[in-house]
Amino acid sequence: MRRSTPVRAVLFDIGGVILDAPLMGIRKYMADAGINRKTFARRFTTSEAWRRLNCGTVDLHEFCKEFDSECVAAGEPGNHNVKYMVQLMNDTMVLRPRMVAAAARLQGAGFTVGGLTNNWRVGEGDQDQMTTCVEEMRHIFDVLIESCKEGVMKPDRQIYQIALDTLVGAGKLSNLEPAEVLFLDDLKHNVEAAAAFGFNTIHVDTVDQALSQLEEVVGVPMPVKK
């Protein structure tokens, strides 16, 4: 986190910031399927199928088939039940009312507020918690940058440039420098990439910690825990 110039725009990640992180759901899936945690995590971070899912090239159903093929090719267990995994993730991704209220307060105080998320397309007729939340947050966010619609995902530098351009295009700001943007994310590599681009950043660990740092940076009182 840094404050070289006043912040005029704030970007929130969705899963892990506006919503509880899906990590516990993914861990339960691995435990139920007897999958080694380190192996599964490594597979996700190097998976072309995962990148294609988040970049909108494939939907969840197509991802499952491609991810299985990658696992089998690497000598790892396949036959992943993507519907069950998403169900567990949905059970974990609960809306954080104080973060939603914080976004609304910032907008009311004159900040341009947006969402910047890695997300995916669900299959026709399907729905998941991430998709539902994104739709519900549209009335609070001035802009919403979705990896599956932009064709690029965090931590790629290009998506931070897209976010900056989109914030200006929202109409409230005629120009904006990276140092005038504050970005909140729960994943360290996304935060580091955003900082390298020039954004101010908050690495979200807990709601209390994030809101305390957010209030310090922007000078707007944040919702307190009841």
Side-chain angles (χ1 to χ4, degrees):
M1 182 175 64
R2 64 187 179 204
R3 287 185 294 167
S4 55
T5 57
V7 167
R8 296 198 290 158
V10 181
L11 285 171
F12 291 83
D13 176 36
I14 303 293
V17 178
I18 297 295
L19 296 172
D20 285 341
L23 179 61
M24 294 307 296
I26 296 174
R27 284 180 176 174
K28 178 171 173 48
Y29 174 78
M30 290 188 292
D32 290 351
I35 300 170
N36 180 276
R37 182 182 298 182
K38 290 185 177 180
T39 298
F40 198 70
R42 183 170 62 250
R43 174 58 48 207
F44 260 94
T45 56
T46 60
S47 171
E48 175 64 13
W50 179 246
R51 187 196 68 78
R52 283 163 53 79
L53 174 67
N54 281 274
C55 291
T57 307
V58 298
D59 65 21
L60 273 171
H61 295 290
E62 295 165 324
F63 160 73
C64 183
K65 297 176 184 178
E66 292 191 9
F67 187 71
D68 273 350
S69 296
E70 287 183 354
C71 290
V72 171
E76 300 163 5
N79 298 316
H80 291 290
N81 187 338
V82 71
K83 285 190 175 182
Y84 178 54
M85 183 168 66
V86 172
Q87 176 188 333
L88 293 175
M89 291 168 64
N90 284 339
D91 291 344
T92 305
M93 290 192 292
V94 178
L95 196 67
R96 294 172 167 174
R98 291 170 66 202
M99 298 303 290
V100 175
R105 286 192 184 188
L106 289 169
Q107 193 175 56
F111 290 87
T112 298
V113 179
L116 172 56
T117 183
N118 286 347
N119 63 346
W120 47 77
R121 296 186 293 112
V122 296
E124 185 175 353
D126 291 338
Q127 188 66 288
D128 67 5
Q129 182 69 2
M130 173 72 81
T131 305
T132 300
C133 177
V134 165
E135 292 304 317
E136 291 177 351
M137 291 300 294
R138 290 188 189 278
H139 73 284
I140 292 179
F141 291 148
D142 295 300
V143 301
L144 183 57
I145 301 95
E146 302 175 69
S147 65
C148 69
K149 294 183 178 179
E150 300 298 339
V152 61
M153 64 184 289
K154 297 176 293 183
D156 192 303
R157 182 181 179 87
Q158 184 182 352
I159 201 165
Y160 301 110
Q161 183 64 59
I162 291 170
L164 184 67
D165 295 340
T166 304
L167 285 166
V168 174
K172 293 170 67 173
L173 301 168
S174 59
N175 59 76
L176 190 67
E177 296 297 323
E180 296 175 302
V181 178
L182 175 63
F183 174 58
L184 295 85
D185 198 292
D186 65 312
L187 297 182
K188 185 178 180 180
H189 57 272
N190 291 341
V191 171
E192 290 175 343
F197 180 74
F199 286 169
N200 292 278
T201 58
I202 293 176
H203 184 196
V204 176
D205 182 27
T206 68
V207 172
D208 287 339
Q209 162 262 328
L211 291 182
S212 176
Q213 290 185 249
L214 179 58
E215 182 173 321
E216 179 185 348
V217 173
V218 300
V220 176
M222 290 291 112
V224 297
K225 189 174 183 178
K226 296 182 179 179

